[in-house]
Amino acid sequence: MMQNGQPWLDTTGQPIHAHGGCILKYQDWYYWYGEDRRADYYVSCYRSQDLMHWEFRNHILTTTSPFKAERFQATAGLVNSDGTKVNIERPKVLYNPKTERFVLWAHFENGRDYREAAVLVASAATPDGDFTEHGHFRPFGNMSRDCTVFVDADQAYFISAARGNADIHIYQLSSDYLNVTRLVNRLWSNEFREAPVLFKHDGLYYMLTSGTSGWRPNQGKYAVASAIAGSWSDLQDFGDATTFDSQPAFVLKNGNQVIYVGDRWGGAKHYQDSSYVFLPLEITSQQVILKHKARWFIAAHNFVFKD
Ligand code: GAL
């Protein structure tokens, strides 16, 4: 039984450090990637076959990750000139079947403030191997903070908070997933949404976001569209005024089940105490309802939630 908001341990009994992350299913395994701010780490990777027992695999991105330039102009560097760590947030990993590479997109900051507002790209040949950094840049010169990725059939997208977090941008990615090719949508001007999560359900696209109140949780909102580049609905509330004390990280689809995964942040002082919540999202007639549940387990490959 997993207790939402409590520390979750890996198979060696160590707390799982995969904050603001994502889960990627590849072959027989689920890979869970996320922020790990300890020591010289940035992103860590765990894997599981049942979504409950997580084996630590690797610190896939660290201060000493190798660098390889790609064709886009990007700034190299996973440490500042004074030797301090930069800040890598909300890492998301995609598998590219054409290049057979795992491509990571994340929010890049200098570790002192949030003025860099850039995106970092890295890639690897295996899901849990050492990733090679390809540098950070601003997509088409735009500020880019909280972010996510989404693949729809053959086309991949990068979604991030732009213009000082005032707008959400959706970019198409190149076929190798290593660059943006087109800004296809700018959403909810001046609504200041962040922590975007995009998923598809019953042929429609749903985007979850939070408001902008730093580590403190706020009212989650969602919107619906029939095409990613088309018009999106107005923002509507889901969950309660604090999204049940969480901020969206990603959505996990398990057959017909849509699972909301959120971060319950410890905040700046207690970041290492941050935990996770897995909650059921119910979608009927394009309405998204987040249910509050204290615990869950997996039985016959399905999530079973308990109050
Ligand atoms: C939140 C954001 C987090 C982190 C935090 C820092 O708004 O979603 O990813 O950047 O601010 O205060």
Side-chain angles (χ1 to χ4, degrees), residues 89-90 114 146 194 214-215 247:
E89 298 189 345
R90 299 186 174 273
Y114 281 82
D146 280 10
E194 62 179 13
W215 299 117
Q247 194 182 22

Side-chain angles (χ1 to χ4, degrees), residues 7 22 31 47 51 59 106 112 128 149 161 198 206 220 227 292 296:
C22 65
Y31 292 87
R47 75 172 183 182
L51 295 162
H59 301 296
R112 294 182 298 275
D128 46 10
V149 292
L198 180 48
Y206 290 84
H292 183 260
W296 60 272

Side-chain angles (χ1 to χ4, degrees), residues 9-14 16 47 53-56:
L9 307 181
D10 69 13
T11 49
T12 67
Q14 297 302 308
I16 294 173
R47 75 172 183 182
H53 300 91
W54 293 95
E55 174 196 356
F56 167 73

Side-chain angles (χ1 to χ4, degrees), residues 235-307:
L235 296 161
Q236 298 176 73
D237 293 354
F238 76 93
D240 67 359
T242 66
T243 318
F244 305 128
D245 195 5
S246 76
Q247 194 182 22
F250 61 96
V251 154
L252 182 64
K253 306 255 330 224
N254 182 53
N256 273 341
Q257 295 185 301
V258 185
I259 311 299
Y260 164 93
V261 183
D263 293 292
R264 186 167 290 172
W265 296 115
K269 282 207 188 106
H270 302 285
Y271 175 87
Q272 300 301 347
D273 298 337
S274 299
S275 58
Y276 317 96
V277 300
F278 280 42
L279 298 172
L281 265 187
E282 290 182 8
I283 305 174
T284 356
S285 311
Q286 303 182 28
Q287 267 204 316
V288 173
I289 294 167
L290 184 68
K291 292 275 163 90
H292 183 260
K293 298 285 172 187
R295 311 167 280 161
W296 60 272
F297 59 94
I298 303 276
H301 304 290
N302 276 311
F303 281 82
V304 181
F305 290 94
K306 299 273 180 198
D307 289 329

Side-chain angles (χ1 to χ4, degrees), residues 77-154:
L78 288 170
V79 272
N80 294 303
S81 50
D82 63 1
T84 55
K85 277 178 83 180
V86 300
N87 199 8
I88 305 295
E89 298 189 345
R90 299 186 174 273
K92 310 291 170 202
V93 179
L94 295 165
Y95 173 64
N96 187 309
K98 287 190 201 104
T99 60
E100 298 183 354
R101 285 189 76 80
F102 296 82
V103 183
L104 179 150
W105 287 69
H107 174 191
F108 178 97
E109 298 288 356
N110 60 22
R112 294 182 298 275
D113 54 43
Y114 281 82
R115 285 183 215 162
E116 205 81 35
V119 57
L120 173 103
V121 179
S123 71
T126 55
D128 46 10
D130 294 337
F131 276 57
T132 297
E133 185 219 344
H134 302 308
H136 62 270
F137 65 104
R138 284 185 169 187
F140 297 117
N142 294 312
M143 293 175 78
S144 179
R145 291 206 180 108
D146 280 10
C147 62
T148 192
V149 292
F150 177 70
V151 183
D152 191 23
D154 267 359

